Amino acid sequence: ATTREHHSKCLPCRFYEKVWALHQDPEASVDNPLLAFSLIKRLHSDWPNIVYSEEATENTQAFHAGFKEVEHELPGTEDLDGAAQALMRLQDVYGLSVKGMANGIFQRACTSCPPLYSPGRRASLSADDCFHVGKVAYDTGDYYHSIAWLEEAVSLFRLSYGSWNPEDRSSLEDALDHLAFSYFMAGNISHALSLSKEFLQYDPSNQRVARNIAKYKKLLETGTVARAVPLQRPNSTHLQSRDAYEELCQRPGDQVGLAGGVPWSPTPALSPLSCSSWLSLSQPAPEHLPHLSCSYETNGSPYLLLQPAKKEMVQIRPYVALYHDFISDAEAETIKGLAGPWLQRSVVASGEKQQKAEYRISKSAWLKDTADPVVQALEQRIAAVTGLDLRPPYAEYLQVVNYGLGGHYEPHFDHATSRKSPLYRMKSGNRIATVMIYLSAVEAGGSTAFIYANISVPVVK
């Protein structure tokens, strides 16, 4: 192993230079999910490892005191594990290659496919990063994901074996150990055996792994092992429409903004941050017609006479229209600022109660029209364009949602589908319409998918 004397700079200095190189552009850490994951991991585990390492002997008291001051504000274990799960979600929804993600490239698994997203600032993942993602999957019995990420961790650890990274919590031995057991649970005993034998080369005295090797050999000799079958990706929500949903999410984001006439906004960019889905009520075959057009609309409302709504027809059957420039940058920033302090994990209806669910990963807050004149003006604009009455109790408050790192909302109905729903006992009745406004632009992904209509609408701020 590389000895500590080989490093000419102090440990905190090297760590500082590494962080500075990664985060010269503050916005890049938000735009790029890999940088965001690395930042969360560095604040949760890498930095404490540096502060309390044997090398940080100079100014130890100052290091510890400074760290203690901000420790309560740093990401916790739930944040870090959630970020790891977000990377796996992105991997699944967009069909991304794990090796590509580890190299900082958002490349689909097919070799001929162009990259989904090429960040301006490329950030690769370390062996320890890949190990942590794989370990999160491993701890939940998800060997489909653990094998892919631990394989990458093992490959990277092998390349750097002998070098010393004090901020890391794992090693080649850890990765080999977890990968071997993952393969065992997946039914691939021969590969579990070879990985365990490699482990013993680095740690010959490990009796537990030695017992595993004996067990694997016996299973292979007696032929009591069923033939390994390809691992199936977990489907925790048993979603029948998942394939259709993900296919829509993966479509290039160029089918909106290109209708007849000149679009009001450039071809939308694509967000590695989320894909949401609504199910339309009707299920006719989609019909794209050549006379789609853009128009200025007042909807008979005096409110829109001086500033008509910019409507683009996207599809005739079912009827799909998109309104451009519906909200100004200043209004969007005001709404995000108002909602920010109140954001909490989004919930879904479950009978009489509300609960968190894996198929809805986001944070949300509700804003009354009395919160700010901007909210009131926006509700007036929505009422003018839709012709709907937004006064209480006919409409709910404005819900502001932040999808964060790898957030999503799997296919769902926005209206209640059971007569037992509390909505039926309220004066407002069941939902009949949803207005959704994008408050920010994104680098990739983030489309809204309509499963039965077979259309996805990319993000346009």
Side-chain angles (χ1 to χ4, degrees):
T2 305
T3 61
R4 300 179 185 185
E5 286 74 18
H6 290 174
H7 299 296
S8 58
K9 294 183 179 178
C10 71
L11 177 59
C13 298
R14 290 197 310 274
F15 187 71
Y16 173 81
E17 289 180 357
K18 172 184 171 183
V19 174
W20 178 254
L22 284 169
H23 295 286
Q24 291 182 41
D25 178 8
E27 291 186 1
S29 298
V30 179
D31 293 338
N32 187 336
L34 300 177
L35 268 175
F37 168 80
S38 299
L39 176 61
I40 292 170
K41 180 172 176 287
R42 191 155 50 251
L43 291 175
H44 174 69
S45 59
D46 296 359
W47 186 23
N49 287 350
I50 295 290
V51 170
Y52 293 106
S53 68
E54 293 178 10
E55 260 213 341
T57 51
E58 296 180 18
N59 300 317
T60 300
Q61 192 172 356
F63 274 137
H64 292 188
F67 181 76
K68 285 291 184 185
E69 281 183 16
V70 297
E71 190 174 14
H72 66 284
E73 299 177 8
L74 300 180
T77 301
E78 184 181 3
D79 298 306
L80 181 55
D81 290 354
Q85 290 164 350
L87 294 187
M88 290 184 270
R89 196 177 304 118
L90 295 174
Q91 169 197 348
D92 292 339
V93 171
Y94 297 107
L96 300 176
S97 157
V98 170
K99 184 170 286 294
M101 293 176 76
N103 288 326
I105 302 170
F106 293 86
Q107 176 70 51
R108 292 200 175 99
C110 65
T111 53
S112 59
C113 297
L116 172 73
Y117 166 52
S118 299
R121 189 165 189 81
R122 185 166 153 183
S124 57
L125 298 178
S126 69
D128 190 64
D129 293 337
C130 293
F131 174 80
H132 185 85
V133 179
K135 179 72 162 51
V136 169
Y138 176 94
D139 287 343
T140 59
D142 173 10
Y143 304 112
Y144 172 89
H145 287 106
S146 72
I147 286 177
W149 286 95
L150 291 172
E151 281 278 15
E152 195 58 34
V154 165
S155 297
L156 293 171
F157 272 128
R158 282 172 180 155
L159 291 173
S160 61
Y161 191 75
S163 61
W164 181 64
N165 291 312
E167 67 266 29
D168 290 351
R169 286 191 170 182
S170 60
S171 63
L172 175 58
E173 292 91 325
D174 292 324
L176 286 168
D177 191 16
H178 286 79
L179 182 58
F181 188 76
S182 295
Y183 271 115
F184 167 69
M185 293 300 292
N188 193 336
I189 308 300
S190 58
H191 200 42
L193 175 61
S194 64
L195 290 166
S196 298
K197 285 180 177 179
E198 183 181 350
F199 178 100
L200 279 191
Q201 293 176 11
Y202 303 107
D203 187 3
S205 61
N206 192 299
Q207 294 301 307
R208 178 180 55 81
V209 174
R211 288 193 297 271
N212 285 347
I213 289 176
K215 176 183 176 181
Y216 299 155
K217 284 181 178 178
K218 186 175 181 180
L219 288 170
L220 290 170
E221 288 168 2
T222 57
T224 56
V225 181
R227 209 171 91 182
V229 294
L231 278 169
Q232 297 295 314
R233 177 181 146 200
N235 187 3
S236 58
T237 53
H238 304 289
L239 188 68
Q240 293 180 349
S241 55
R242 185 175 69 180
D243 291 344
Y245 159 61
E246 292 178 357
E247 191 276 325
L248 285 169
C249 291
Q250 292 176 25
R251 284 186 187 177
D254 58 1
Q255 65 262 52
V256 175
L258 302 177
V262 179
W264 290 292
S265 63
T267 302
L270 279 176
S271 153
L273 300 186
S274 68
C275 183
S276 301
S277 175
W278 275 259
L279 298 175
S280 66
L281 295 177
S282 56
Q283 303 181 44
E287 183 180 353
H288 294 272
L289 300 177
H291 55 270
L292 299 177
S293 61
C294 297
S295 60
Y296 289 100
E297 298 286 328
T298 63
N299 199 31
S301 170
Y303 188 84
L304 297 174
L305 282 177
L306 296 180
Q307 192 173 5
K310 301 173 180 178
K311 186 174 82 170
E312 174 187 349
M313 282 301 303
V314 177
Q315 192 164 284
I316 304 298
R317 285 196 314 206
Y319 180 89
V320 180
L322 180 68
Y323 291 89
H324 291 265
D325 301 330
F326 194 79
I327 189 169
S328 70
D329 290 347
E331 288 173 323
E333 291 306 311
T334 297
I335 289 172
K336 287 189 285 185
L338 290 168
W342 303 101
L343 287 174
Q344 293 184 341
R345 172 72 186 270
S346 299
V347 294
V348 296
S350 178
E352 298 285 336
K353 299 179 181 179
Q354 301 276 307
Q355 66 179 25
K356 299 175 184 177
E358 285 304 305
Y359 63 85
R360 187 182 191 188
I361 304 293
S362 60
K363 289 187 175 183
S364 56
W366 296 88
L367 294 181
K368 295 183 179 181
D369 60 352
T370 54
D372 192 274
V374 166
V375 180
Q376 190 173 29
L378 182 60
E379 291 198 355
Q380 288 178 333
R381 197 174 311 145
I382 294 171
V385 167
T386 62
L388 297 173
D389 191 342
L390 268 67
R391 294 172 300 176
Y394 303 115
E396 297 169 10
Y397 297 130
L398 194 70
Q399 183 180 191
V400 185
V401 182
N402 176 7
Y403 281 98
L405 174 57
H408 72 147
Y409 200 164
E410 287 185 347
H412 62 283
F413 292 100
D414 254 13
H415 64 283
T417 56
S418 169
R419 297 295 300 184
K420 296 178 181 178
S421 170
L423 278 173
Y424 283 97
R425 294 195 296 275
M426 297 170 64
K427 291 182 180 179
S428 56
N430 204 353
R431 290 172 173 171
I432 62 169
T434 300
V435 174
M436 191 173 71
I437 305 164
Y438 282 113
L439 297 179
S440 59
V442 293
E443 294 291 327
S447 301
T448 299
F450 296 87
I451 304 299
Y452 296 148
N454 191 31
I455 187 172
S456 59
V457 182
V459 178
V460 182
K461 183 179 179 180

